[in-house]
Amino acid sequence: MSTYDARFRVWRGDADGGELTDYTVEVHDGEVVLDVVHRLQATRTPDLAVRWNCKAGKCGSCSAEINGRPRLLCMTRMSVFARDEVITVTPMRAFPVVRDLVTDVSFNYAKAREIPAFVPPAGVGPGEYRMRQEDVERSQEFRKCIECFLCQDTCHVVRDHEENKEAFAGPRFLMRIAELDMHPLDAAEEAGLDRRRTAQEEHGLGYCNITKCCTDVCPESIHITDNALIPLKERVVDRKYDPLVWLGNTIGRRRNRQAP
């Protein structure tokens, strides 16, 4: 096994401030950035804080920024960098720093709690749900999400404008709304919940200008923009501006008022 010395610049600090610190650390063939960070902890700086768990790209814990790009530390191979390249590792910029590479991602959990859950259809019990395979496959893509929050971190609406966070759920949770809205068994409307209206008016769908940066950094290769956000925007526009839809809704409301 061959080895070489790599140059790393790692952000060290806390909520009160910090700076980039230079390290030279040994790298072995086949390693990922998280391996090198662990070696730094073991040999040079035991107090370096980094969040990780599975080291298999499935828990989403080790999100950070490598050379300015949001990535998972455990899924970024050292072989993608030149051996003489300086590798800069910093915490996710969109969220408050706790210490070193660890950020406070509680914003995302707060947004998750704002999304109403799946509404089961009336009169259908557990084990009685029936869906076409194409509907299963369509929503299954979104369920691959490991909640690494890299899409949230790279979205400029969140990343560059702190004031937007209150009104904007971010791509991960707009994707969740889209998944539920296209679910053939979700009975939200029958329960009085208009997911499309709330996506636009309460969760900030209109802030998204579909730059696809969220899709670009997704480690699960989910087509967040093309398969979730754009279709959701189209359904919102259809509901709000299509004259035929408006006419149908108006006639429906009149019939309901006239019903005994």
Side-chain angles (χ1 to χ4, degrees):
M1 178 183 295
S2 65
T3 64
Y4 67 96
D5 288 336
R7 292 181 295 164
F8 268 66
R9 303 192 75 198
V10 181
W11 197 90
R12 304 299 308 276
D14 55 27
D16 296 325
E19 62 182 4
L20 289 168
T21 302
D22 292 316
Y23 300 98
T24 299
V25 59
E26 186 178 84
V27 177
H28 300 166
D29 285 344
E31 289 189 323
V32 295
V33 172
L34 184 60
D35 292 320
V36 180
V37 170
H38 284 166
R39 185 168 292 114
L40 275 174
Q41 286 181 316
T43 62
R44 300 286 302 280
T45 174
D47 62 340
L48 173 63
V50 58
R51 182 181 284 131
W52 72 284
N53 186 22
C54 74
K55 198 178 176 291
K58 293 302 177 185
C59 74
S61 298
C62 63
S63 300
E65 297 189 10
I66 304 173
N67 291 353
R69 179 182 174 85
R71 294 174 178 262
L72 292 178
L73 299 180
C74 73
M75 295 299 289
T76 305
R77 293 198 169 276
M78 290 297 299
S79 59
V80 304
F81 305 106
R83 292 195 173 194
D84 60 352
E85 184 175 355
V86 177
I87 301 169
T88 302
V89 185
T90 55
M92 288 191 289
R93 201 177 85 186
F95 309 115
V97 172
V98 177
R99 188 162 68 87
D100 299 338
L101 302 179
V102 177
T103 52
D104 179 359
V105 294
S106 58
F107 160 80
N108 300 286
Y109 298 110
K111 291 301 179 182
R113 287 192 291 270
E114 295 175 5
I115 309 300
F118 171 78
V119 180
V124 181
E128 298 177 354
Y129 296 163
R130 296 294 182 268
M131 293 173 59
R132 293 183 299 178
Q133 185 61 37
E134 62 187 29
D135 290 323
V136 174
E137 291 171 353
R138 182 166 60 165
S139 62
Q140 187 63 32
E141 177 187 12
F142 308 134
R143 289 187 170 271
K144 293 193 300 180
C145 175
I146 60 174
E147 297 204 324
C148 59
F149 305 129
L150 294 180
C151 63
Q152 300 283 89
D153 178 51
T154 199
C155 177
H156 64 275
V157 180
V158 175
R159 185 182 183 90
D160 299 331
H161 302 280
E162 183 71 22
E163 68 276 12
N164 288 338
K165 285 186 176 180
E166 182 176 349
F168 184 63
R172 190 277 170 268
F173 301 106
L174 290 172
M175 180 177 70
R176 173 62 175 157
I177 296 172
E179 175 196 342
L180 291 168
D181 185 55
M182 67 175 62
H183 198 300
L185 294 179
D186 182 58
E189 286 200 25
E190 290 82 347
L193 172 62
D194 188 338
R195 295 196 188 276
R196 300 172 196 180
R197 182 191 64 78
T198 58
Q200 182 73 10
E201 298 179 6
E202 298 179 17
H203 303 295
L205 179 63
Y207 284 82
C208 171
N209 58 8
I210 58 176
T211 58
K212 299 190 180 183
C213 52
C214 52
T215 299
D216 190 42
V217 300
C218 178
E220 287 291 333
S221 300
I222 302 171
H223 294 85
I224 302 171
T225 310
D226 289 338
N227 292 351
L229 303 187
I230 291 177
L232 181 59
K233 278 177 171 285
E234 290 172 344
R235 293 194 295 273
V236 167
V237 170
D238 285 347
R239 174 66 60 85
K240 190 170 184 178
Y241 299 110
D242 190 314
L244 294 179
V245 173
W246 174 86
L247 181 61
N249 290 340
T250 302
I251 294 174
R253 286 195 295 269
R254 288 177 179 173
R255 287 177 175 173
N256 289 337
R257 285 198 296 267
Q258 294 171 358

